[in-house]
Amino acid sequence: MTAIKHALQRDIFTPNDERLLSIVNVCKAGKKKKNCFLCATVTTERPVQVKVVKVKKSDKGDFYKRQIAWALRDLAVVDAKDAIKENPEFDLHFEKIYKWVASSTAEKNAFISCIWKLNQRYLRKKIDFVNVSSQLLEELPKVTEESVPSGENQSVTGGDEEAVDEYQELNAREEQDIEIMMEGCECAISNAEAFAERLSRELQVLDGANIQSIMASEKQVNILMKLLDEALKEVDQIELKLSSYEEMLQSVKEQMDQISESNHLIHLSNTNNVKLLSEIEFLVNHMDLAKGHIKALQEGDLASSRGIEACTNAADALLQCMNVALRPGHDMLLAVKEQQQHFSELREQFARRLANHLNNVFVQQGHDQSSTLAQHSVELTLPNHHPFHRDLLRYAKLMEWLKSTDYGKYEGLTKNYMDYLSRLYEREIKDFFEVAKIKMTGTTKESKKFGLHGSSGKLTGSTSSLNKLSVQSSGNRRSQSSSLLDMGNMSASDLDVADRTKFDKIFEQVLSELEPLCLAEQDFISKFFKLQQHQSMPGSMTEAEDLDGGTLPRQHNSGAPLPVSSEKDMIRQMMIKIFRCIEPELNNLIALGDKIDSFNSLYMLVKMSHHVWTAQNVDPASFLSTTLGNVLVTIKRNFDKCISNQIRQMEEVKISKKSKVGILPFVTEFEEFAGLAESIFKNAERRGDLDKAYTKLIRGVFVNVEKVANESQKTPRDVVMMENFHHIFATLSRLKISCLEAEKKEAKQKYTDHLQSYVIYSLGQPLEKLNHFFEGVEARVAQGIREEEVSYQLAFNKQELRKVIKEYPGKEVKKGLDNLYKKVDKHLCEEENLLQVVWHSMQDEFIRQYKHFEGLIARCYPGSGVTMEFTIQDILDYCSSIAQSH
């Protein structure tokens, strides 16, 4: 083991400036026995660091390597397992418990003893030793680090060096002394025994000198002892004098203690008096309510501004007195209890008086406001509630006081306000909407046709009566269209622009009157009832929530403020209860406008979208924003229904079998709808809804134009397609609707294709036999006969060609063209004015056919001298004269 220890010191610890103090051969408990060494080391330089190092033999060679090191200060417990019996097992508790089995109990005990000594010296007994024999834990001599020389070979404990370390290296000074000594002796190296004998003789000489020195100093020691005895006698005399002095001062001490105790009691009494005076002043200053405040609370005039101000100040003072933070023990004083009881009675009395007064004000407001309804019954304006709000806002601070002191009465006032104001607003709003309906339908006499009655203010007419009026109005304004279209509602062309503008202004005025009314009431509720209406949580109350049977959100304890989201919900609930009639009345008005003219939904969609957008910018969760949003959904449905009705009317169009078709009614109606919509939706927020409607309508127009063209018997299919798609193309070009650019190109293409088809089909008739002849020629050429050999065919020789050409002299050609012009004129309608366009296309096509015939004659009948009996110039003259004559 000594050899291993020296090897470890040399190879592992000396290069790291460490000294190996103890070593134990161990293996881990419970596993395969892989031996290793636990080493206790200290550093050679200050500050000294003590470590436990695990050293393991390398697998690749016969040398040792340092595997892991723990600082001794991290060792918490050393468990030797058994303090009586010999047991090689022991545990070291670092950050976790390491279980070891030593190769022998002696090695384990020596290692634990070294750890204990290092703990005593460097860690001041911080490690707990469990199940360790007391013989191992013997106290070391008390030495300080300063008394031990610092050096490479410094011992762990000054006096028990051999127990800690069997081998100790020489330090530099010792090596130097030995070298000097050996240099003085020639035989130090050659004869070690002679050198050792010499050293022994010199040591004996030194011991003798030490003994003689001690014996010579005995006389001086005796003199020193005599002086010490005399000093002790002097000390005894001084102690006797000190005892007498102490007895003399004892009486003085007792008197001073009495004086000190008396002063302490006086100081304590003064302190208590000051504290008592402070407590009394605190109670008087904070719990004394002025007589003027008490009188204001009991008898103050709540109708005058001065009285309201006095009551407000008194209520605030009372609240401060009641909310004063009492110090410990104050609530046990009888006077404090009586004063608190008095304050509670004053609060109850004033809260009851304030609630009764405000309830009377609410009732009086309903009566006063009813008297002003008559003057607004003929004007489309809502009564102004600003004076009432202004008068009530004088009580806002008192309402805040009531909310914090008596929430029950505050909640009761809130419900009463909603009840009174909801009835008042219901009368005002219904009368207001009655006037709006009358203005929409005309005079009062005309409004009776719609089932409107001024006293009730409700739309009492049935849907059938409105439909009846729609049909009557449609018959008066557009009898021809009524014969073609079987419609349940009036079409857009049944009303003048002035009527629609009138409706638009009335609807805008209705919204413009309702919006400030709702905003003013919401602002008043927030200020009067002290509710926060900003920074609300997401979400809003919808029309489906029933508020009649609901209760307002309550606060958890009296005087505790409501959360912001709850106060926001409370404002919204109050607004819904107060203005519960707005949404039904708006829906009735929308239904009436839609029955008067289905195109009114366009005006309403734009106006309502703008107002919803404005309301949402202010507060997206407010009552106004939610209500207008719900109504906007209804308007959007009506708008979609209007589009669907137009498409349905397209599909139900029936054309006359005896008259030419011309421009179809739904094509004209689409033009009217698009023109109206573009003027209404200019710079509107909901342009996307219109673009979707355009797409649906134009597809319906395209499909149904083709359907009618296929069913047409009087007018050729190509004429129906050409005229209507030309009209559609002209409409889209004029309106410049960006979302219908593809449809505009499609309409132009269809118009061009059917124009060309119609021209080709019509031109086959004026030179019918000539056409058939040359079709036969082309057929022979197609069969493989060379063009110059066609003239040898019996049916297509020169004589047959001359015979066919003679049947079409210039006079006959002109006559045929004239008949063709008349026929085209009968096919085309006047309103689209395409006759000259078609005639010019026919002229160009006829000239193209003429040139084609001449080319065939030149190729198939070369040198025959056969030519047409009219020229291209003759064709131009014929077409021009025919067009001018008609």
Side-chain angles (χ1 to χ4, degrees), residues 40 138 140 245 371 508 518 595 609 790:
E138 49 189 26
L140 295 177
Y245 292 156
S371 61
E508 171 63 23
C518 294
K595 292 298 179 182
S609 298
V790 172

Side-chain angles (χ1 to χ4, degrees), residues 591-607:
L592 175 62
D594 194 51
K595 292 298 179 182
I596 293 174
D597 182 358
S598 60
F599 280 14
N600 283 337
S601 60
L602 277 71
Y603 290 98
M604 292 187 287
L605 182 63
V606 172
K607 295 298 182 184

Side-chain angles (χ1 to χ4, degrees), residues 231-387:
L232 288 174
K233 291 179 182 179
E234 291 293 332
V235 169
D236 292 338
Q237 292 178 1
I238 292 172
E239 285 183 352
L240 290 175
K241 290 182 180 180
L242 289 176
S243 298
S244 63
Y245 292 156
E246 185 177 359
E247 291 177 358
M248 294 170 62
L249 291 174
Q250 184 65 34
S251 61
V252 177
K253 178 178 179 301
E254 292 176 357
Q255 293 176 5
M256 293 302 296
D257 289 343
Q258 292 177 358
I259 294 173
S260 175
E261 184 177 358
S262 177
N263 289 337
H264 173 69
L265 293 175
I266 294 172
H267 177 71
L268 182 62
S269 176
N270 290 337
T271 303
N272 290 337
N273 289 335
V274 171
K275 289 184 177 180
L276 179 60
L277 179 61
S278 173
E279 297 293 332
I280 294 174
E281 289 178 348
F282 173 81
L283 293 175
V284 171
N285 292 335
H286 292 85
M287 295 193 67
D288 184 27
L289 190 62
K291 293 182 179 179
H293 289 334
I294 296 175
K295 185 177 181 181
L297 293 173
Q298 293 176 339
E299 304 174 1
D301 184 11
L302 290 172
S304 64
S305 299
R306 182 174 296 179
I308 293 173
E309 184 179 0
C311 290
T312 302
N313 295 333
D316 290 339
L318 175 62
L319 185 61
Q320 290 179 3
C321 291
M322 295 186 70
N323 291 340
V324 64
L326 295 176
R327 296 170 183 172
H330 284 178
D331 53 352
M332 301 177 65
L333 298 175
L334 180 61
V336 172
K337 292 181 179 179
E338 292 177 351
Q339 192 73 344
Q340 288 178 335
Q341 181 65 28
H342 180 55
F343 290 158
S344 299
E345 292 174 355
L346 280 175
R347 181 191 64 188
E348 291 293 331
Q349 180 182 357
F350 181 67
R352 185 168 53 253
R353 196 163 70 90
L354 176 62
N356 292 335
H357 178 76
L358 289 178
N359 279 326
N360 294 333
V361 173
F362 297 159
V363 175
Q364 186 63 33
Q365 163 65 11
H367 294 308
D368 294 344
Q369 200 73 14
S370 298
S371 61
T372 63
L373 292 178
Q375 65 185 17
H376 293 277
S377 60
V378 295
E379 301 175 1
L380 194 58
T381 57
L382 282 165
N384 187 4
H385 288 248
H386 176 70

Side-chain angles (χ1 to χ4, degrees), residues 797-808:
N797 55 27
K798 298 178 183 178
Q799 289 77 15
E800 290 295 328
L801 175 61
R802 289 191 179 97
K803 187 189 298 183
V804 174
I805 290 176
K806 284 183 180 180
E807 291 185 11
Y808 293 100

